[in-house]
Each structure stands twice: as C-alpha cells, then as structure tokens.
Amino acid sequence: MGKLTTHVLDTAHGAPGKGMVVRLYKNDKLLLTAKTNADGRCDAPLLEGKNFKTGTYRLEFEAGKYFKKAGVTLAKTPFLDVITISFGISDAAAHYHVPLLVSPYGYSTYRGS
C-alpha cells in the first residue's frame, strides 16, 4: 500500500523541526494541513490507501513562522518564509517520503524511504 510522509530537520539547530505547519495540495486544491510533532514528523501519513493517487502534488512548509517562534532573529521579510516543494507521484503502491532539511537561509529535499 502506498503512502506519503514527510519529516522536517532544523539544520540550524541540529534538531527535529517541531511544530512546523505543513500543507499538502493537489492541483491547487488544499488536501490537508498538519503540524510536525516533537520528532519533526507528522503523526500520520499525509496520504495513504485509497487517497494515495498518482499525480502532481505540492507541500508547503511554514519555515519563517517556525524560525520566528524558535527565537531566531529574522529580517522583517525573511529570506525563506513558505517553502514550496512540487513533486510527482507515479507509483500508487510505493512509499514516497519527502523530507525537508531547513535553516533560515537554505534548504534541501530528496525522495527518502
């Protein structure tokens, strides 16, 4: 059974990205809003089972609000505010894991397992 998960790692502090708001979209339609737990993960898969379908998706991570709440001094207009990752799901039976490694001035992602 396929599923979609995510994980946020705060590389500025060397810790999980606890409490970051994450939104998932498909074709510009908001599917869900979640918040990362103490381990930087969402408590449940973002998609799974019959809701996990092929197509193009977008994850939005509220990094600016997360770093402000963490006490990081940011510019009035943060360099990174909402981070958007667009990706495709081509195999509805696979596990797609989309982690975000983030600091106030940079980020990376990859297809994890």
Side-chain angles (χ1 to χ4, degrees):
M1 176 194 302
K3 64 182 176 179
L4 172 65
T5 57
T6 191
H7 186 195
V8 179
L9 297 170
D10 176 344
T11 58
H13 296 102
K18 175 185 175 184
M20 188 178 293
V21 172
V22 179
R23 288 183 296 276
L24 175 66
Y25 295 83
K26 182 176 184 186
N27 300 327
D28 293 326
K29 178 183 175 191
L30 177 63
L31 299 179
L32 67 86
T33 300
K35 189 179 280 192
T36 57
N37 61 23
D39 193 35
R41 300 174 187 275
C42 296
D43 289 330
L46 302 175
L47 288 175
E48 66 180 332
K50 66 180 178 147
N51 294 321
F52 187 73
K53 300 175 183 175
T54 60
T56 302
Y57 292 83
R58 183 174 82 239
L59 280 169
E60 291 182 350
F61 298 86
E62 290 190 0
K65 288 181 182 177
Y66 164 81
F67 283 113
K68 284 179 188 174
K69 187 175 179 182
V72 176
T73 302
L74 301 174
K76 183 177 178 182
T77 303
F79 180 70
L80 294 175
D81 191 15
V82 177
I83 296 171
T84 301
I85 301 171
S86 296
F87 60 97
I89 293 175
S90 59
D91 181 356
H95 178 189
Y96 284 74
H97 182 66
V98 183
L100 176 69
L101 288 72
V102 65
S103 79
Y105 298 99
Y107 70 92
S108 65
T109 189
Y110 55 94
R111 180 175 172 193
S113 59

